[in-house]
Amino acid sequence: MSGSDVRALVMPKWGLTMTQGVVVKWLVDEGADVEQGAELLDVETEKILSAVESPANGVLRRRVAAEGSTFPVGGLLGVIADADVADEAIDRFAATFEAEFTPETEAVAGEGPSPQQVDVNGHSLRYLKMGEGGEPAVLVHGFGGDLNNWLFNHEALSAERAVCALDLPGHGESSKNVGDGTVASLAQVVAGFMDAQGLPPAHLVGHSLGGAIAAELAATAPDRVRSLSLIASIGLGREFRPGFLDGFATARRRRQIKPVLEALFADPALVTRRLVNEVLQYKRLDGVEEALTAIARDLVADGQQTVSIRERLATYPGRVLVIWGGSDQIVPASHAAGLPDGMHVEVIDAVGHMPMMEASARVNQVLAAQFEGRLTA
């Protein structure tokens, strides 16, 4: 940052439906030196509590947003500049920003991509596409999740390419019939989705169950997969948190589902009331419990994983990236050890089973490097 540069720290947009966020806590003091990517404050949205990162190196010259206040997306939270920028220049910058700012709900309401439905192999699948061109990527969520699991990643990853996220059968707003619910059959659905979208070979990114699905597709149809990225994937070891799948599948009340969701994160405070309510709303849909139970039956037996993808990975000739949270309580990060030579492994400290949400900036950075072939084993 040059001596005359002043940068706005603004309320980010995490997901298509976000219009505002609540400032929970500042993590750095006014006047502190900050680096690009450093976490400056915690913000609570309708979905989750997450940290807002610095857009540049410099000094946090002004904390505009008070803790407890609600700000629209794009609203001014703070000002970052070099120490030699005069206070008067900071004041003018903040005043001009506020005078010219128009909240998104007024400026661009109804614009931007929206989820669509497509019929694939007898399933109605909800999906969201962002970006255009390039080598496409497909994001595959985990057990009990949906395309909103990628709300911190989807837009960032689509800057250079088309990126599609879908709801697997039995999840989100896709149809609830999962057939036999096996990883192999779900991989066929993902392949059918790619066919329906007319996608060329794509970069596959899978989280947890989605990792096993992506690995299955890469093993059976390697020519369809440009690269493979596995985030906290099942299938790389035997251990699995006892009772997690059944607890998620059968929970119908807040007191039942809240501890299950909290186990997904290193910091249970990230689980908001809105997130709990949305999961409960999904859980109460007809066919959901049966769908999740069928899928769980193929994943774990007697408290241990029954799916194995290590041998499948060994047959895939393309680039493989493995990302894990060092504090994962569902599937231990030790499962990232002993993988075939040539794979890049990234273990992120103090992060749980949802690295793409808890450490989104780092995950986005590593995934972009994977897509572009810049990672080394």
Side-chain angles (χ1 to χ4, degrees):
M1 183 182 292
S2 67
S4 61
D5 283 344
V6 183
R7 291 288 298 273
L9 175 68
V10 302
M11 180 67 71
K13 183 175 179 62
W14 293 320
L16 293 177
T17 62
M18 179 179 170
T19 59
Q20 62 185 23
V22 178
V23 176
V24 176
K25 181 181 180 181
W26 280 95
L27 305 177
V28 298
D29 294 328
E30 198 169 88
D33 291 329
V34 298
E35 295 182 353
Q36 183 175 355
E39 297 182 348
L40 302 186
L41 71 161
D42 285 334
V43 164
E44 183 175 345
T45 73
E46 294 178 342
K47 299 288 186 184
I48 194 173
L49 185 149
S50 190
V52 179
E53 299 172 342
S54 175
N57 297 330
V59 177
L60 180 59
R61 296 292 301 276
R62 195 77 81 246
R63 299 198 319 192
V64 175
E67 293 179 356
S69 59
T70 299
F71 273 66
V73 166
L76 186 66
L77 301 175
V79 180
I80 298 171
D82 284 343
D84 59 359
V85 176
D87 288 342
E88 292 80 2
I90 303 297
D91 293 338
R92 286 194 302 271
F93 177 88
T96 300
F97 187 103
E98 296 286 5
E100 296 178 350
F101 174 68
T102 302
E104 178 178 301
T105 50
E106 299 175 14
V108 293
E111 294 185 8
S114 59
Q116 307 292 322
Q117 296 284 145
V118 63
D119 291 330
V120 174
N121 298 352
H123 303 279
S124 176
L125 303 181
R126 181 179 70 154
Y127 72 97
L128 176 64
K129 178 184 176 184
M130 291 187 180
E132 296 290 343
E135 296 176 346
V138 176
L139 311 178
V140 186
H141 64 77
F143 183 87
D146 62 17
L147 59 80
N148 290 313
N149 288 171
W150 307 102
L151 61 89
F152 298 134
N153 322 106
H154 201 162
E155 185 173 4
L157 296 176
S158 67
E160 302 293 335
R161 69 196 70 250
V163 181
C164 295
L166 72 153
D167 290 346
L168 291 169
H171 295 77
E173 296 182 20
S174 291
S175 57
K176 300 304 180 281
N177 175 25
V178 299
D180 61 11
T182 63
V183 166
S185 66
L186 293 173
Q188 291 174 2
V189 172
V190 174
F193 170 78
M194 294 172 63
D195 290 338
Q197 296 301 304
L199 295 180
H203 301 280
L204 287 192
V205 182
H207 170 246
S208 196
L209 164 64
I213 293 170
E216 174 71 16
L217 181 53
T220 56
D223 57 322
R224 305 292 307 277
V225 182
R226 292 287 298 173
S227 73
L228 183 62
S229 298
L230 309 177
I231 302 176
S233 181
I234 66 168
L236 293 173
R238 297 280 285 167
E239 296 89 352
F240 196 88
R241 184 181 179 91
F244 176 80
L245 296 182
D246 289 342
F248 190 99
T250 61
R252 288 182 171 270
R253 294 179 174 84
R254 165 176 284 274
R255 63 180 176 82
Q256 295 172 320
I257 196 63
K258 191 169 187 286
V260 176
L261 295 177
E262 289 177 338
L264 292 168
F265 300 92
D267 180 3
L270 296 178
V271 178
T272 64
R273 185 177 185 84
R274 178 64 178 266
L275 177 60
V276 174
N277 290 341
E278 288 195 354
V279 172
L280 282 177
Q281 185 177 12
Y282 154 68
K283 288 294 314 310
R284 290 165 180 161
L285 295 174
D286 289 343
V288 166
E289 184 172 333
E290 293 80 3
L292 294 178
T293 300
I295 294 172
R297 191 182 302 122
D298 183 56
L299 303 180
V300 173
D302 298 325
Q304 292 194 313
Q305 295 183 49
T306 55
V307 172
S308 177
I309 63 172
R310 281 184 177 263
E311 296 78 8
R312 311 291 271 164
L313 289 180
T315 67
Y316 173 62
R319 303 191 301 272
V320 178
L321 164 67
V322 175
I323 300 174
W324 228 291
S327 300
D328 194 329
Q329 302 175 61
I330 309 300
V331 185
S334 59
H335 289 188
L339 294 173
D341 292 341
M343 298 184 183
H344 182 95
V345 176
E346 187 88 9
V347 178
I348 308 173
D349 292 337
V351 167
H353 191 61
M354 307 291 285
M356 68 282 196
M357 298 182 104
E358 292 183 88
S360 58
R362 180 56 182 161
V363 169
N364 293 343
Q365 181 184 42
V366 177
L367 286 175
Q370 163 78 332
F371 297 164
E372 296 163 10
R374 295 187 281 109
L375 289 181
T376 56

